[in-house]
Amino acid sequence: MNLKELEEFQLKLSKKVVLEDRIKIEDLKFVAGVDQAFIGNKVISACVLLSFPELEVVKEGVEIENVEFPYIPTFLMFREGKPAVNVVKKVLKDVDNVVLLVDGSGIAHPRKCGLATYIAIETGIPSIGITKRRLYGRVEEPRDVMEAKPIYDNSEIIGYALKPCKNCNPIYISPGNYVKPETALKIVKSCLRGYKLPEPIRLAHNLANKSKNRKLSEFFQ
């Protein structure tokens, strides 16, 4: 494993980032979430498709694969990327006018190429990265519910920190690809239903962990 070469690969991919709205919010029909759970040498990738703005579940799916890369911060796309892409392609096949919410960074990443960016490049689906911790950028933390503060890389706005509920810490939102930072914030706000995480990711998280429990015995046969 040569981390320098992997960094160069991420920088190369980051040049494919387009911070423009491929889909206007008024034309958006669906949102989807992808999240993953790990057990042993297996990764469980879950994707949930919801109608927008109603946020009713339309379709969901799970894929189980071997883990082929260690956990290294800022290199999660090499560990989680391909399995996430596989489940996204499975669930979102033939689905148009959809934006994908990813439990992982977008361009708020040291090389502007987080997991959400990788998935968007591989699938062509506009994506938004959401994390529970700030990975990169300068930000003034929001204090009031639904208050958002810009995340800066020098003078460029690369995302937003948002306080989604009263008794929770902020979440950190950044475009993966094919969406503007301001649009990413609006979509995430529209997907909040009183929890810390937006519904697409919250439901994908729940599905991945339910599948983890249900499939536990199969992993060690």
Side-chain angles (χ1 to χ4, degrees):
M1 185 192 310
N2 186 321
L3 294 185
K4 185 63 177 177
E5 288 182 0
L6 298 184
E7 287 181 356
E8 291 173 357
F9 180 71
Q10 289 177 318
L11 289 169
K12 182 179 178 180
L13 285 185
S14 72
K15 298 183 186 304
K16 298 183 179 181
V17 171
V18 178
L19 296 181
E20 295 293 336
D21 294 336
R22 178 169 286 185
I23 304 170
K24 296 179 180 178
I25 289 185
E26 54 267 30
D27 296 328
L28 189 61
K29 295 181 180 179
F30 302 99
V31 287
V34 63
D35 194 13
Q36 293 162 304
F38 292 84
I39 184 165
N41 66 339
K42 303 287 185 180
V43 55
I44 304 166
S45 305
C47 182
V48 180
L49 176 68
L50 298 91
S51 61
F52 185 85
E54 301 85 6
L55 300 185
E56 296 176 353
V57 175
V58 176
K59 186 180 179 183
E60 60 186 31
V62 173
E63 290 285 307
I64 302 170
E65 301 181 41
N66 290 326
V67 177
E68 299 179 349
F69 193 90
Y71 173 81
I72 305 175
T74 77
F75 294 93
L76 295 188
M77 58 175 275
F78 299 103
R79 175 178 172 86
E80 304 175 15
K82 288 182 179 179
V85 165
N86 289 340
V87 76
V88 167
K89 286 183 175 180
K90 172 183 174 180
V91 175
L92 303 189
K93 182 180 179 181
D94 300 324
V95 177
D96 295 320
N97 296 329
V98 59
V99 168
L100 179 68
L101 278 63
V102 179
D103 184 3
S105 296
I107 64 167
H109 179 279
R111 291 168 292 283
K112 292 192 176 180
C113 189
L115 178 62
T117 305
Y118 174 80
I119 295 172
I121 289 171
E122 289 294 310
T123 64
I125 298 170
S127 72
I128 300 167
I130 295 129
T131 62
K132 294 180 281 293
R133 294 181 179 86
R134 180 181 61 85
L135 178 66
Y136 181 77
R138 185 182 79 258
V139 64
E140 176 186 345
E141 301 292 333
R143 297 183 178 183
D144 299 325
V145 176
M146 297 305 287
E147 180 184 14
K149 295 287 188 178
I151 302 171
Y152 290 97
D153 179 15
N154 293 320
S155 61
E156 179 188 5
I157 294 176
I158 56 172
Y160 289 88
L162 173 69
K163 185 175 175 64
C165 51
K166 183 177 180 181
N167 295 314
C168 59
N169 293 323
I171 56 175
Y172 301 88
I173 302 159
S174 63
N177 206 359
Y178 314 125
V179 61
K180 296 178 181 178
E182 298 80 8
T183 305
L185 175 64
K186 290 177 183 177
I187 292 172
V188 171
K189 281 186 171 182
S190 297
C191 291
L192 291 169
R193 292 295 185 270
Y195 296 93
K196 179 173 182 175
L197 292 174
E199 287 297 279
I201 290 180
R202 189 180 75 85
L203 294 176
H205 173 82
N206 290 346
L207 178 59
N209 281 280
K210 287 178 182 177
S211 301
K212 174 180 174 178
N213 295 333
R214 187 170 66 244
K215 300 290 185 180
L216 180 61
S217 61
E218 297 179 15
F219 290 162
F220 301 102
Q221 289 179 354

